[in-house]
Amino acid sequence: MASRKQVQAAKRNVQKAQQVATKKRTIAHLPQSTRRSLVEQAQKARRRGGEPGHALEDRNREQLYELAKKQGIPGRSKMGKWELIEAIRDRRG
């Protein structure tokens, strides 16, 4: 059985770990490109009035990947979101 001091020390360690984990989840710790993308998405949503968007830019990478898969675009697994958007648009037009 743990002593009272050990239990208190364990509780302090757990609390510290929880505080650190909470701090790491803030938007400030995300990469700048991710933060910029989140801002752009929020601006687009405001412009639409909160209605769901169906433009390619409003879709996430997984949705774009599935669309590229249906169109048979080669090399799609190695593409990022914006590369997938370009490839889909090139294929369409």
Side-chain angles (χ1 to χ4, degrees), residues 21-34:
T22 302
K23 285 180 184 177
K24 284 185 178 180
R25 282 193 297 256
T26 63
I27 195 167
H29 294 290
L30 293 173
Q32 187 169 359
S33 60
T34 303

Side-chain angles (χ1 to χ4, degrees), residues 40-88:
E40 289 171 3
Q41 288 176 12
Q43 288 171 343
K44 286 177 189 172
R46 269 188 244 114
R47 275 188 247 128
R48 287 193 311 270
E51 296 189 12
H54 297 288
L56 293 176
E57 290 83 3
D58 296 329
R59 300 181 189 193
N60 63 29
R61 188 196 174 279
E62 290 79 24
Q63 292 167 330
L64 292 168
Y65 177 84
E66 289 302 317
L67 189 57
K69 189 175 179 182
K70 286 179 187 174
Q71 293 184 3
I73 295 174
R76 62 186 173 268
S77 62
K78 293 181 178 140
M79 292 182 188
K81 178 178 177 174
W82 299 106
E83 292 170 319
L84 284 168
I85 289 172
E86 282 182 29
I88 291 168

